């Protein structure tokens, strides 16, 4: 704002007229008399003094003009002003993804960018949930919470207790705790479960057999574990000293055959041939599902043009190139009493993804596609922050007529839990182990963006190319990642139970801690199994504990969430009840106060101030369905589908007892 009238560049009338014109234009497409103008971007506030000085001038001169009234505002002031207009408002139940700031500028690449960091955040979240099992372990839990907020990647190593060891690098087959057990010692494995249900799963740890291999271990030890809710189980591994002692091992063979090889125990069978052979056959005899599907890996070469490059934020592929095997690599088939597996290597860098080659000077993005013959009619569903699933329709928006400028990037969405598609007979669900981007670009197909390595900046503020490298001994290579995705096919309408229950297990995996014990020491010297709940109590199958944390004032913060949407599952999309006294055995609950979701005010006070809005097309008696107020005599909490309830609990007792089984 050049407001010195004696200078040649005096521009107050021009600035005022431009602002008023913009305000009137926006008012013409806005209900009511109040228009929100958002101020600048994050980069503007690098020069906050200059920015606000100019804004003060603009507000002053626009108000002197008198055609519109301008003031500094807040979201609360704006909301109150809109509410006072007493209008009926359109109801929007979807989100606003995917964002685009221009025809070729879809912000869908960042859903996957930096996949290793996204995995670290997920791993740390799992450790944090375990730490909160110990209500006295505030220091370590707070350390991880603070560090999660600033996305530091080294915090998986900050896990107590000091007398035990963890193996956060098991994904690359590295576990010093299992490697260095001295002769004559037993290896004690403690398996932690942060979910509120009993879990029966298979765990794998590397078996070094007294050696220290230069590469990955030759053997893995796989065994079944059973871990009670909110607790742990302890297992001891020792040498077999008795001659002829029973031992079970797996057989391994390799095959180049294009004919199919079948694996699977029980009801589920997977039949697969070497790369380039017959499609994979998926059969589940329990629910009578049998379907053929193809799994493929592709390059998406990004567009580098003057108008818009692909980069850390922007996803702009301009070509799809299927990856064929460089040579015939046989399938490795493992059959054993506990697990059966097929290992496949497509080329030298697609077994674990990376380093993505850039020798040709072209940045690339790696996707995987799962293709079936299902007739999905352009429709698929993606999760919203791991909670409700939102219906997506390819090349379509419910709120406006979409002009398709980016047929791939414009149909990508963020996946935190997963994605599914269905027809009138089956539904295909895919769950992920970290946040990434995905979509359904063709009917019957689900596509996941796994890794990105780009050579140009997309001009969205990062000011560098998305070219992650790892340097060891002065040798730098592109980032290599390892990960997992999980898929399952169910009769239509029956997939939600797997997505919700197994999705919780992915987000909160069993965590392992290792310690040594003298070989002749009795296994009775330590607690074999522990549960933080009352004996034989588990949470209902449709409920999860989101938060259990002791605050600085000694109160316990508890959040309970219903995992299912209305109508999502015929058995579990129903009202359910949690018994608080059974969550805290041995403790006397003095007071329970329900609060807002953020726990910064009591729910009763919040509801007094809650604004009641008129929605177009809805009757005045429509209200959100919520569980009844807490029963203070029985201390029971009722939850309805998708409901989250938050409580502050005062405990009377000084010690927290638990169940030892």
């Amino acid at each position: 704002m050049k407001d010195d009238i004696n200078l040649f560049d005096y521009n107050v009338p021009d600035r005022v007229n431009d602002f008023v014109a913009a305000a009137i234009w926006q008012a013409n497409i806005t209900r009511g008399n109040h228009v929100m103008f958002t101020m600048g971007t994050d980069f503007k506030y690098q020069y906050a003094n200059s920015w606000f000085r100019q804004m003060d001038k603009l507000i002053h001169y626009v108000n002197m003009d008198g055609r519109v009234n301008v003031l500094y505002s807040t979201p609360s002031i704006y909301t109150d002003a809109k509410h006072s207009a007493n209008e009926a408002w359109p109801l929007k139940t979807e989100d606003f993804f995917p964002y685009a700031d221009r025809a070729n500028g879809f912000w869908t690449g960042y859903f996957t960018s930096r996949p290793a960091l996204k995995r670290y955040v997920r791993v740390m979240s799992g450790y944090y949930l375990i730490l909160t099992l110990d209500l006295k372990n505030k220091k370590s839990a707070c350390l991880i919470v603070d560090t999660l907020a600033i996305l530091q990647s080294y915090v998986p190593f900050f896990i107590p207790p000091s007398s035990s060891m963890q193996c956060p690098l098991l994904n690359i087959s590295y576990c010093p705790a299992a490697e260095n057990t001295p002769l004559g010692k037993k290896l004690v494995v403690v398996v932690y479960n942060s979910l509120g249900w009993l879990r029966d799963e298979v765990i794998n740890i590397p078996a070094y057999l007294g050696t220290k291999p230069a590469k990955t271990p030759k053997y893995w030890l796989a065994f079944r574990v059973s871990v009670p809710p909110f607790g742990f189980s302890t297992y001891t591994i020792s040498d077999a000293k008795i001659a002829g002692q029973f031992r079970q091992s797996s057989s391994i063979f390799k095959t180049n055959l294009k004919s199919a090889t079948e694996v699977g125990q029980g009801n589920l069978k997977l039949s697969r041939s070497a790369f380039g052979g017959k499609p994979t056959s998926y059969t589940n005899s329990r629910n009578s599902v049998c379907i053929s599907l193809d799994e493929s890996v592709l390059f998406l070469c990004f567009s580098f043009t003057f108008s818009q490059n692909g980069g850390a934020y922007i996803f702009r592929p301009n070509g799809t190139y299927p990856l064929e095997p460089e040579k015939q690599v046989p399938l490795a088939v493992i059959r054993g009493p506990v697990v059966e597996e097929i290992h496949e290597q497509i080329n030298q860098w697609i077994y674990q993804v990376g380093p993505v080659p850039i020798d040709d000077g072209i940045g690339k993005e790696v996707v995987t596609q799962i293709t079936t013959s299902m007739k999905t009619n352009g429709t698929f569903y993606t999760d919203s922050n791991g909670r409700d699933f939102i219906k997506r329709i390819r090349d379509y928006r419910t709120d406006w007529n979409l002009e398709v400028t980016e047929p791939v990037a414009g149909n990508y969405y963020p996946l935190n839990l997963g994605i599914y598609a269905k027809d009138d007979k089956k539904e295909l669900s895919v769950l992920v182990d970290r946040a990434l981007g995905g979509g359904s670009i063709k009917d019957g197909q689900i596509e996941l963006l796994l890794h990105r390595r780009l050579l140009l900046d997309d001009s969205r503020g990062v000011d560098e190319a998305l070219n992650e490298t790892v340097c060891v001994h002065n040798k730098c290579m592109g980032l290599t990642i390892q990960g997992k995705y999980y898929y399952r096919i169910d009769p239509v309408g029956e997939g939600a139970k797997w997505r919700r229950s197994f999705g919780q297990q992915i987000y909160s995996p069993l965590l392992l801690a290792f310690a040594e014990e003298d070989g002749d020491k009795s296994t009775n010297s330590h607690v074999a199994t522990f549960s933080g709940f009352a004996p034989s109590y588990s949470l209902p199958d449709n409920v999860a504990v989101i938060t259990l944390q002791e605050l600085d004032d000694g109160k316990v913060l508890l959040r309970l969430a219903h995992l299912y949407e209305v109508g999502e599952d015929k058995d579990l999309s129903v009202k359910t009840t949690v018994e608080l006294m059974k969550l805290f055995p041995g403790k006397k609950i003095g007071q329970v106060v329900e609060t807002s979701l953020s726990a910064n005010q009591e729910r009763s006070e919040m509801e007094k101030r809650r604004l009641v809005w008129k929605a177009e097309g809805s009757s005045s008696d429509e209200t959100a369905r919520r569980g009844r107020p807490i029963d203070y005599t029985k201390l029971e909490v009722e939850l309805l589908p998708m409901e989250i309830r938050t409580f502050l609990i005062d405990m009377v007792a000084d010690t927290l007892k638990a169940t030892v089984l």
Side-chain angles (χ1 to χ4, degrees):
M1 295 289 293
K2 305 294 186 178
D3 58 349
D4 189 338
I5 198 169
N6 296 313
L7 296 181
F8 74 95
D9 55 355
Y10 175 73
N11 64 2
V12 169
D14 292 339
R15 289 285 186 262
V16 169
N17 288 333
D18 288 346
F19 184 90
V20 171
I24 293 173
W25 179 87
Q26 189 161 333
N28 287 333
I29 57 173
T30 303
R31 299 191 185 200
N33 295 325
H34 298 274
V35 174
M36 175 188 287
F37 270 38
T38 53
M39 292 171 47
T41 67
D42 46 356
F43 298 104
K44 296 295 183 184
Y45 297 99
Q46 296 178 86
Y47 309 99
N49 182 62
S50 172
W51 174 251
F52 279 103
R53 187 170 64 250
Q54 299 300 320
M55 189 61 65
D56 289 344
K57 289 183 180 182
L58 178 64
I59 291 174
H60 170 72
Y61 289 115
V62 169
N63 286 338
M64 283 184 61
D65 176 84
R67 284 177 286 174
V68 298
N69 181 58
V70 190
L71 68 152
Y72 284 118
S73 187
T74 66
S76 294
I77 294 173
Y78 176 76
T79 302
D80 288 340
K82 285 296 188 182
H83 182 262
S84 65
N86 200 29
E87 293 264 4
W89 303 95
L91 183 63
K92 182 174 178 63
T93 58
E94 302 162 343
D95 57 19
F96 294 90
F97 286 118
Y99 302 147
D101 58 15
R102 62 186 66 177
N104 302 113
F106 277 87
W107 291 49
T108 53
Y110 78 92
F111 300 156
T112 293
S113 297
R114 305 194 184 279
L117 181 59
K118 286 178 165 64
R119 178 59 185 165
Y120 291 151
V121 171
R122 184 66 60 90
V123 170
M124 282 190 286
S125 299
Y127 278 116
Y128 171 65
L129 291 172
I130 287 293
L131 287 173
T132 57
L133 291 179
D134 180 359
L135 295 183
K136 294 182 179 180
N137 200 350
K138 292 187 291 184
K139 183 176 181 181
S140 296
C142 289
L143 173 64
I144 286 188
V145 171
D146 293 344
T147 314
L148 274 171
I150 58 174
L151 296 179
Q152 294 292 342
S153 62
Y154 50 80
V155 179
F157 299 94
F158 293 156
I159 41 182
S162 59
S163 59
S164 65
M165 295 181 62
Q166 285 74 35
C167 290
L169 300 179
L170 268 176
N171 66 312
I172 59 170
S173 308
Y174 180 64
C175 184
E179 172 186 335
N180 298 322
T181 305
L183 292 175
K185 295 279 190 178
K186 296 178 181 178
L187 181 64
V188 179
V189 184
V190 182
V191 186
Y192 293 89
N193 172 22
S194 61
L195 295 183
W197 320 306
L198 174 70
R199 293 169 70 173
D200 294 303
E201 299 180 24
V202 174
I203 65 170
N204 295 272
I205 60 174
Y208 294 93
L209 301 182
T211 64
K212 188 174 182 179
K215 297 183 179 180
T216 57
K218 185 177 180 180
Y219 301 99
W220 282 79
L221 177 63
F223 58 97
R224 296 188 181 277
V225 297
S226 181
V227 192
F230 255 57
F232 65 81
S233 292
T234 306
Y235 295 85
T236 303
I237 301 171
S238 59
D239 295 332
K241 297 181 179 180
I242 302 176
Q245 188 170 9
F246 179 67
R247 180 178 64 183
Q248 293 179 311
S249 60
S250 301
S251 62
I252 303 176
F253 70 93
K254 296 184 177 182
T255 175
N256 281 313
L257 297 177
K258 294 293 183 72
S259 58
T261 299
E262 184 178 88
V263 296
Q265 300 176 342
N267 298 301
L268 187 61
K269 305 291 184 184
L270 201 67
S271 180
R272 190 173 179 87
S273 60
F275 194 85
K278 295 181 178 179
T280 298
S281 174
Y282 175 104
T283 304
N284 189 335
S285 58
R286 175 178 294 174
N287 56 24
S288 301
V289 166
C290 182
I291 192 171
S292 294
L293 53 87
D294 281 318
E295 294 177 76
S296 55
V297 181
L298 305 93
F299 267 150
L300 300 181
C301 289
F302 85 100
S303 177
F304 44 98
T305 66
F306 179 77
S307 61
Q308 180 59 67
N309 299 321
Y313 290 102
I314 303 300
F315 182 35
R316 198 184 179 197
N318 70 346
T320 300
Y321 304 92
L323 289 166
E324 301 296 339
E326 296 175 353
K327 60 181 181 179
Q328 186 64 49
V329 179
L331 294 178
V333 182
I334 302 174
R335 298 191 188 278
V338 179
V339 295
E340 293 190 1
E341 299 178 351
I342 292 180
H343 292 210
E344 180 177 22
Q345 182 168 350
I346 298 174
N347 60 29
Q348 63 180 353
W349 61 272
I350 301 185
Y351 182 72
Q352 50 190 18
V353 180
V356 177
I358 54 172
D359 298 339
D360 55 3
I362 299 176
K364 300 174 184 69
E365 295 158 295
V366 183
V367 304
T368 186
Q369 295 175 342
I370 303 172
T371 305
T372 72
S373 59
M374 294 167 56
K375 308 299 183 183
T376 54
N377 196 28
T379 303
F380 55 104
Y381 302 79
T382 66
D383 73 278
S384 175
N385 289 322
R387 296 288 292 161
D388 50 329
F389 278 84
I390 298 179
K391 182 179 180 178
R392 315 293 190 183
I393 300 176
R394 189 167 56 250
D395 296 336
Y396 175 79
R397 305 291 187 267
T398 58
D399 298 327
W400 72 93
N401 293 325
L402 176 68
E403 180 181 351
V404 179
T405 56
E406 292 288 338
V408 177
N411 288 295
Y412 258 57
Y413 295 86
L415 310 180
N416 292 287
L417 174 60
I419 179 174
Y420 75 93
K422 62 182 181 179
D423 60 12
D424 58 350
K425 295 181 179 179
K426 301 179 182 71
E427 59 188 57
L428 167 64
S429 305
V430 182
L431 303 183
V432 296
D433 70 342
R434 72 200 71 193
L436 51 76
S440 179
I441 311 304
K442 297 179 180 179
D443 272 8
Q445 183 184 88
I446 285 178
E447 180 173 304
L448 307 177
L449 179 56
L450 304 178
H451 200 355
R452 314 182 73 218
R453 191 179 185 190
L454 307 177
L455 303 181
L456 297 175
D457 179 51
D458 58 8
S459 302
R460 293 305 186 277
V462 177
D463 200 26
E464 65 179 34
L466 183 66
N467 184 13
E468 295 182 275
T469 58
V470 177
C471 298
V472 179
H473 299 308
N474 297 320
K475 182 180 179 181
C476 296
M477 302 176 63
L479 177 69
T480 297
I481 62 165
Q482 289 189 335
K484 298 178 181 178
Y485 62 87
Y486 310 80
Y487 66 80
R488 175 174 163 129
I489 303 166
D490 290 283
V492 65
E494 297 183 15
K497 191 172 297 183
W498 179 76
R499 290 191 294 270
R500 296 299 184 182
S501 59
F502 192 67
Q504 287 291 304
Q505 294 180 29
I506 296 172
Y507 186 76
S508 303
L510 295 174
L511 297 180
L512 311 181
F514 300 85
E516 296 174 3
E517 182 179 79
D518 290 336
D520 56 355
K521 191 173 183 180
S522 170
T523 56
N524 295 327
S525 61
H526 50 74
V527 176
T529 303
F530 163 92
S531 174
F533 290 171
S536 303
Y537 185 73
S538 295
L539 287 178
D541 291 341
N542 49 9
V543 174
V545 172
I546 292 181
T547 306
L548 177 61
Q549 179 182 356
E550 186 178 13
L551 305 179
D552 290 337
D553 59 4
K555 294 181 180 179
V556 175
L557 174 62
L558 173 68
R559 288 191 184 91
L560 298 169
H562 198 299
L563 296 175
Y564 288 77
E565 301 177 64
V566 174
E568 187 176 18
D569 184 87
K570 59 183 179 63
D571 300 316
L572 296 172
S573 294
V574 296
K575 176 179 67 179
T576 191
T577 302
V578 175
E579 302 175 61
L580 293 185
M581 288 188 291
K582 292 186 177 180
L583 300 187
F584 304 99
K587 281 292 234 182
K588 183 178 180 181
I589 297 177
Q591 184 182 30
V592 180
V593 176
E594 186 165 9
T595 70
S596 61
L597 182 64
S598 56
N600 65 348
Q601 57 184 316
E602 294 187 16
R603 176 176 172 174
S604 58
E605 293 299 316
M606 176 193 69
E607 290 181 337
K608 290 178 183 177
R609 297 191 292 270
R610 175 179 285 157
L611 301 178
V612 179
W613 298 84
K614 296 179 181 178
E616 289 181 345
S618 63
S619 60
S620 59
D621 61 349
E622 282 189 13
T623 57
R625 293 188 290 177
R626 306 181 187 277
R628 56 180 167 78
I630 185 172
D631 185 332
Y632 287 102
T633 58
K634 298 181 180 179
L635 289 179
E636 292 181 346
V637 176
E638 185 178 275
L639 292 159
L640 270 66
M642 277 290 108
E643 185 176 16
I644 300 176
R645 299 183 70 172
T646 306
F647 302 92
L648 289 175
I649 303 174
D650 274 324
M651 299 294 185
V652 175
D654 294 329
T655 58
L656 177 63
K657 298 180 182 179
T659 303
V660 178
L661 306 176

